[in-house]
Amino acid sequence: MRDVIVIGAGGGGPVVAKELAAKGLDVLLLEAGPRHAKPREEWTTFEDDANNPLTGYFRLGPTDRSKPAWYREWPQNSFVWQLSGVGGTTQHFYGNYPRAYPGVFKGYDGADRNEYDVNHRFPFTYSEMVPYFEWVEAIMPVQTAAMGHKEQLFFRGAETMNLPVQTTKTTRGPSYRPQENAILQPGGTAGKTSDKNLLNYPQATGCTFCGYCFQGCMRPNGAPRNQFAKRSTDNSYVPMAVTAEVWARGGKPVELIADAYVTRVHTESRHGVLTASGVTWRDNVSGDEHREDARVVVMSGGCTENPRLWFNSGLPNPNGWVGRGYTDHFFDWMIGSFDDYTGNPKGVGSSARLDYPPYGGLENVGLPPALNAFAGTLSDSGIRGQYRNGRGQTGPWDGPAGRLMGPELKELLAGGIDKLLTVLVITDDDVEAQNRVTTSALPADENGPIPKVTFQQRKRTKRTLNNREFMARKAAELLRGAGAKKVYRIDWAPLILHVQSSMRMGESEHNSVLDPRGETRAVKRLFIADNSALSNGLGGPNPTLTSQALATRTAEKIFQTYFDGDPWVRKETPVVSTDPRISVRLGQLGL
Amino acid sequence: MPAAVPLARRAFLARIGVLGAALGGGGLLTRSLLNPADAATNPLLPPAVDLVRPVLAALARDTLNGLTAFALPGPDQYSRTQRASSRTPGAMEAGATDFMINALEHFVPFPDALAQPISAALVTGLADTGISLPGLEVLPAELRTLDQAFAALLQSDETLPLSFPIAGLLNLMATQVNPAAVNGPHLSPFARLTYAEKAKAFELIEKTDSDLVALLDVQFPEPLKASVSGLLKFVGGALIEFATFGAYGEFAVFDPKTKQLRKRPVGWTLTGYQPDGPVEGWDDFIGYYQGRTEVHD
């Protein structure tokens, strides 16, 4: 019998595991995918090897890459970018750590208070969340992003838009700024040389501007795992979780098992109350099933897998909200082409942003060639110059929106990938019951019936659709201001990459799965701690910080409710994840 | 004409490219191979089903050549046929068709339970759409053998490569856009289209309420029915995105054993990416915006 079993070692699970391990609980952390313990041997810097969703080392599938990936049903033109493996999608993320907008929390009374997703606010206040933001920001640590050429260009565009520069952690209104990133700032030779002989740790520390965030961060070369620049959970929370005894008084290291696919959450009735009692997982390699019991079970498999596990476990869904209310920031993609060098594929994937509550935001995104080509061809608006698929919006960009492909894409890229500046359009999108995860009617895989992710992209709320158009226009304005000679709008089909709120926490029992403490309403001792627990799409900010802050709060609630403990965030000082005690212990463990 | 091969079915085989690939000008099977009389007198001749398999593979490759040239045109014959070619290397030089076939045949975790009926639907499912098929004068006996070989293959336990239904879909749409594409250079109707016609074929696939979706759905019992129409909407986008990703990526020159590149990927040359190969870092750090290295509330 464990104290706690955490299902999923992605962006959220390791937070709960680390926090409770620090309090001395016996925690088992199960991960369905691989554990990349030796990135220098397992990873490269190549897009197909890394990011091919079928064959890459960053895919949704078992460790053995000769086996197919796990199939998921998407009944529309869309792409749900799931990742298995320790670190989850933080393995390929850009470490962007903005805070959620205050307007998405209970009790917000700003002048624009009625312009957010008012029916799906967080069930507690922004000020209650702040200590948890600060706690995570200190652990990662979150730092103001260093600037490369693509950021300089982004700022040049933003400077033409009559907006202030945000110089606080909290976003109070439309503004622009360098990202607050969970990326260690460059030190020593990092960012100052391209000579690989000069870029070994500790001569170089922090971000070396390699441009490979999306292929996984293993730099500077030779650094201990917990001092790699990008603070994916496999470089931060997981190292802390498995070394808890050396940095936390009374801490107990977490046991982490990879290739362990949880197929069932077990429950029993205790005094007439349905209560979680343990899990069954399947070993991807041997196919053997294992069962283990726990006092508390935490689901952290993500927005798509948590609902699947819920359904496959036969858990009750009295209000029908399991899997519903999935938000994705209804992204769009804008490409500006320039006469001059932009530095597009260098440096952190994104180090500059523009926030525009209550509409959404923008951020620059640098991509290598194949991903750039992919991003230019994912569209709900047909092919530019050929057909519009019933859409093809026109506006302050050049020509109709649509795929930039074939000869047109080739000609654009022939000018040089480093003469492009690409901007991600982030929409403040509403929680909608119709955007959801259900169980697919397609054949089950070895882990049971598979999830089906449905997004009705053309039938979203008026507010969501308007917000997206508003932000796309702002993106065009920014690119023009930066000096783009041409601006292309792709009108992305749903690229489901920022995922939120499919098992949402809410004030009302009528439209939420979790109560305001993070425990499921239907099953006691069962908690959810990852992006799916978020109450809404946060107004547009990238979700990881808010998700981890909420997971920290949930860890406190678990400790208080079921282990007679006291909360710690308001009275303790967090240990930073780069702590040398962790590095030393990782070395002893061969990690 | 034997009753077992109704006209609509024969027309359909032509439209998905199988007849042309097998028997048309430049086709892969000589008529005598499929002649029942020969087969009866030659016990060493492989059964027709073995003859059909390489035809399907060649047809799929040809169709996908038409697709990847659409994604990234180059100096090759497929690009010239679509009347959108380019002097610099394109998808053929980048090995993008191999990329697609490798993915479709080994790694798309697509359930056989669905692939099989889709393939069957593509071969058997459609009614006569009233499009005339010029130049189709195949001897009934040959056609019948081919048809039976197909039926045998589809009914066997053998897993059909996913590239077959994908090619079938593209070719079916190709002949919808341009009925004359059943004949011409290359093996497949899709590869015979102009660039604009290929775009029209994708327009048909992407159209949410396309007749094709409705027709294919007929072949599936509930609850799979709804899944198939959704799937086709997904496939239309995915084929373009994936072909383009493959054309600009390093697949063809990457050695998985050494994890090194054998030579510079076409996509890197076209875009000027990493002129000196992979790096440990770049000298791109300018400083901090307005000199600010940290912020607080």
Side-chain angles (χ1 to χ4, degrees):
Chain A
M1 167 80 84
R2 302 276 183 170
D3 288 328
V4 179
I5 295 176
V6 178
I7 305 164
V15 176
V16 176
K18 170 260 178 193
E19 294 295 344
L20 295 178
K23 296 293 151 192
L25 298 193
D26 176 13
V27 181
L28 173 63
L29 178 58
L30 298 170
E31 168 53 43
R35 180 185 200 187
H36 296 294
K38 301 200 181 310
R40 281 276 159 183
E41 293 166 26
E42 298 170 36
W43 295 354
T44 61
T45 59
F46 305 125
E47 301 173 87
D48 186 58
D49 186 40
N51 307 118
N52 185 316
L54 302 170
T55 60
Y57 55 78
F58 286 168
R59 62 170 187 166
L60 181 73
T63 299
D64 182 352
R65 288 168 71 189
S66 71
K67 290 185 179 164
W70 290 313
Y71 176 71
R72 299 292 178 257
E73 184 184 0
W74 313 327
Q76 64 270 321
N77 180 14
S78 63
F79 186 70
V80 185
W81 216 317
Q82 288 183 263
L83 251 65
S84 59
V86 175
T89 48
T90 71
Q91 293 176 103
H92 74 181
F93 82 162
Y94 293 157
N96 306 140
Y97 267 52
R99 293 181 180 182
Y101 296 155
V104 304
F105 287 82
K106 178 182 177 177
Y108 176 73
D109 61 359
D112 59 355
R113 60 185 170 277
N114 295 323
E115 295 171 48
Y116 295 87
D117 185 1
V118 294
N119 295 321
H120 303 99
R121 287 193 155 115
F122 277 81
F124 55 89
T125 63
Y126 184 81
S127 62
E128 183 180 339
M129 190 65 141
V130 166
Y132 299 98
F133 282 144
E134 290 172 345
W135 181 263
V136 176
E137 286 162 349
I139 287 169
M140 280 317 223
V142 176
Q143 300 179 330
T144 298
M147 180 170 61
H149 283 88
K150 67 184 191 299
E151 284 74 34
Q152 192 176 49
L153 196 57
F154 185 97
F155 294 137
R156 192 180 302 159
E159 284 160 3
T160 67
M161 295 171 71
N162 287 318
L163 294 172
V165 178
Q166 180 181 324
T167 59
T168 53
K169 294 277 193 186
T170 298
T171 300
R172 299 284 177 202
S175 53
Y176 69 96
R177 56 174 161 148
Q179 296 269 18
E180 288 294 299
N181 275 345
I183 307 262
L184 301 180
Q185 291 173 339
T189 53
K192 295 176 181 163
T193 177
S194 306
D195 181 347
K196 61 179 69 173
N197 297 316
L198 301 177
L199 286 168
N200 294 309
Y201 178 88
Q203 192 179 12
T205 60
C207 179
T208 64
F209 278 68
C210 68
Y212 303 133
C213 287
F214 211 68
Q215 288 74 43
C217 185
M218 48 180 177
R219 291 183 174 78
N221 187 29
R225 185 77 191 238
N226 70 322
Q227 305 209 28
F228 286 157
K230 188 177 84 170
R231 315 306 295 157
S232 11
T233 56
D234 54 340
N235 295 340
S236 56
Y237 275 102
V238 171
M240 294 189 88
V242 299
T243 62
E245 79 279 23
V246 302
W247 57 267
R249 189 183 307 245
K252 181 177 169 56
V254 165
E255 184 179 356
L256 167 65
I257 305 178
D259 261 322
Y261 209 111
V262 176
T263 53
R264 194 171 174 87
V265 172
H266 298 284
T267 55
E268 58 191 37
S269 178
R270 291 185 199 158
H271 312 296
V273 178
L274 194 65
T275 306
S277 58
V279 306
T280 291
W281 78 89
R282 187 181 167 281
D283 182 320
N284 288 333
V285 181
S286 66
D288 294 343
E289 289 202 334
H290 303 266
R291 179 169 173 167
E292 195 148 357
D293 292 334
R295 292 181 177 84
V296 167
V297 174
V298 181
M299 295 170 76
S300 302
C303 280
T304 302
E305 301 304 310
N306 284 343
R308 177 217 201 178
L309 179 57
W310 188 280
F311 295 132
N312 288 355
S313 300
L315 303 181
N317 182 17
N319 63 12
W321 268 78
V322 169
R324 290 191 190 267
Y326 207 144
T327 57
D328 69 332
H329 290 163
F330 198 10
F331 287 156
D332 203 347
W333 190 248
M334 306 283 285
I335 303 173
S337 75
F338 292 76
D339 286 328
D340 299 322
Y341 173 77
T342 62
N344 179 43
K346 298 178 183 175
V348 174
S350 175
S351 288
R353 70 183 296 111
L354 184 146
D355 289 285
Y356 221 111
Y359 299 97
L362 307 173
E363 64 177 37
N364 71 332
V365 173
L367 289 176
L371 288 161
N372 211 310
F374 170 85
T377 53
L378 178 80
S379 177
D380 198 27
S381 278
I383 299 171
R384 279 168 49 86
Q386 303 291 335
Y387 70 98
R388 295 186 180 200
N389 201 22
R391 288 166 70 89
Q393 304 93 317
T394 53
W397 42 88
D398 289 284
R403 287 189 185 88
L404 190 55
M405 69 169 286
E408 191 177 29
L409 180 64
K410 188 174 187 182
E411 191 185 333
L412 178 70
L413 290 172
I417 197 166
D418 54 9
K419 294 206 173 152
L420 304 179
L421 183 68
T422 39
V423 173
L424 179 69
V425 175
I426 305 174
T427 305
D428 175 7
D429 61 328
D430 287 333
V431 168
E432 295 182 62
Q434 65 172 356
N435 297 329
R436 63 186 299 208
V437 179
T438 52
T439 305
S440 173
L442 297 180
D445 66 15
E446 66 271 26
N447 300 311
I450 64 166
K452 169 179 179 174
V453 183
T454 304
F455 270 82
Q456 305 277 355
Q457 73 259 34
R458 297 192 185 191
K459 296 177 185 161
R460 303 183 72 143
T461 65
K462 200 169 163 188
R463 192 183 82 92
T464 299
L465 296 173
N466 288 346
N467 284 354
R468 189 173 190 251
E469 294 309 302
F470 181 88
M471 291 316 305
R473 285 169 182 274
K474 288 292 168 194
E477 190 182 336
L478 185 143
L479 286 165
R480 300 271 186 215
K485 56 180 182 180
K486 272 204 148 184
V487 175
Y488 302 90
R489 180 175 180 191
I490 308 302
D491 185 26
W492 265 0
L495 180 58
I496 300 162
L497 215 152
H498 286 184
V499 295
Q500 298 91 203
S501 58
S502 67
M503 303 287 280
R504 64 183 299 274
M505 171 188 289
E507 182 113 71
S508 164
E509 64 183 69
H510 300 298
N511 63 8
S512 62
V513 177
L514 304 182
D515 70 17
R517 297 157 46 259
E519 189 170 27
T520 70
R521 294 181 182 280
V523 184
K524 293 299 137 193
R525 294 179 180 264
L526 181 58
F527 289 77
I528 296 185
D530 60 19
N531 285 10
S532 71
L534 296 168
S535 297
N536 52 49
L538 312 182
N542 315 47
T544 313
L545 168 61
T546 308
S547 185
Q548 293 179 339
L550 186 63
T552 305
R553 181 178 176 272
T554 300
E556 275 194 344
K557 303 291 184 197
I558 291 170
F559 195 53
Q560 284 177 273
T561 309
Y562 293 113
F563 298 93
D564 273 339
D566 295 321
W568 57 88
V569 165
R570 282 182 177 78
K571 60 180 193 199
E572 290 181 17
T573 304
V575 172
V576 64
S577 62
T578 53
D579 190 295
R581 289 171 294 178
I582 301 165
S583 310
V584 169
R585 182 64 186 141
L586 288 174
Q588 291 165 350
L589 294 169
L591 297 169
Chain B
M1 163 146 200
V5 187
L7 181 66
R9 170 94 175 259
R10 185 178 63 176
F12 189 76
L13 285 175
R15 291 183 57 192
I16 64 168
V18 170
L19 275 192
L23 301 170
L28 298 177
L29 299 183
T30 64
R31 296 185 173 204
S32 60
L33 277 179
L34 281 175
N35 187 309
D38 277 3
T41 56
N42 183 359
L44 297 177
L45 198 68
V49 66
D50 288 336
L51 295 172
V52 165
R53 216 177 281 117
V55 171
L56 292 182
L59 176 65
R61 172 171 290 276
D62 191 78
T63 310
L64 293 171
N65 279 342
L67 173 67
T68 57
F70 180 55
L72 178 57
D76 58 280
Q77 188 57 50
Y78 291 89
S79 297
R80 285 199 293 276
T81 301
Q82 72 181 358
R83 285 184 239 142
S85 61
S86 159
R87 271 176 296 201
T88 52
M92 297 303 123
E93 290 75 19
T97 302
D98 289 329
F99 169 86
M100 292 298 287
I101 290 173
N102 180 58
L104 288 170
E105 304 201 347
H106 302 298
F107 290 103
V108 175
F110 193 71
D112 290 343
L114 202 61
Q116 209 76 351
I118 285 181
S119 304
L122 277 167
V123 174
T124 62
L126 298 187
D128 191 346
T129 48
I131 291 170
S132 63
L133 295 163
L136 245 199
E137 288 157 294
V138 192
L139 292 176
E142 294 162 357
L143 185 60
R144 187 176 187 182
T145 310
L146 189 60
D147 191 56
Q148 285 168 344
F150 255 118
L153 191 58
L154 290 169
Q155 284 158 17
S156 75
D157 290 336
E158 190 172 335
T159 305
L160 269 186
L162 198 55
S163 53
F164 171 62
I166 293 296
L169 174 68
L170 290 175
N171 289 324
L172 183 68
M173 292 299 102
T175 53
Q176 191 85 8
V177 169
N178 179 1
V182 290
N183 284 312
H186 308 294
L187 279 180
S188 66
F190 185 78
R192 294 172 188 136
L193 299 183
T194 64
Y195 189 86
E197 287 171 340
K198 287 178 181 177
K200 280 205 183 87
F202 272 96
E203 184 174 13
L204 289 178
I205 296 173
E206 283 206 273
K207 227 162 100 177
T208 36
D209 51 355
S210 88
D211 295 342
L212 169 79
V213 171
L215 281 166
L216 281 178
D217 274 2
V218 171
Q219 304 304 312
F220 294 88
E222 293 287 2
L224 283 185
K225 204 168 157 176
S227 291
V228 174
S229 57
L231 192 69
L232 282 170
K233 291 172 203 162
F234 166 71
V235 161
L239 284 177
I240 288 178
E241 294 141 23
F242 211 56
T244 310
F245 178 84
Y248 283 93
E250 84 286 352
F251 172 81
V253 294
F254 177 69
D255 181 343
K257 289 204 180 72
T258 63
K259 295 188 181 291
Q260 305 284 322
L261 300 180
R262 285 189 289 263
K263 58 182 193 181
R264 189 168 166 77
V266 165
W268 294 20
T269 303
L270 292 175
T271 61
Y273 178 61
Q274 300 192 147
D276 302 315
V279 300
E280 285 297 327
W282 290 105
D283 52 346
D284 198 58
F285 173 35
I286 295 172
Y288 291 88
Y289 187 59
Q290 298 181 337
R292 200 176 292 107
T293 58
E294 56 185 90
V295 299
H296 303 279
D297 270 12

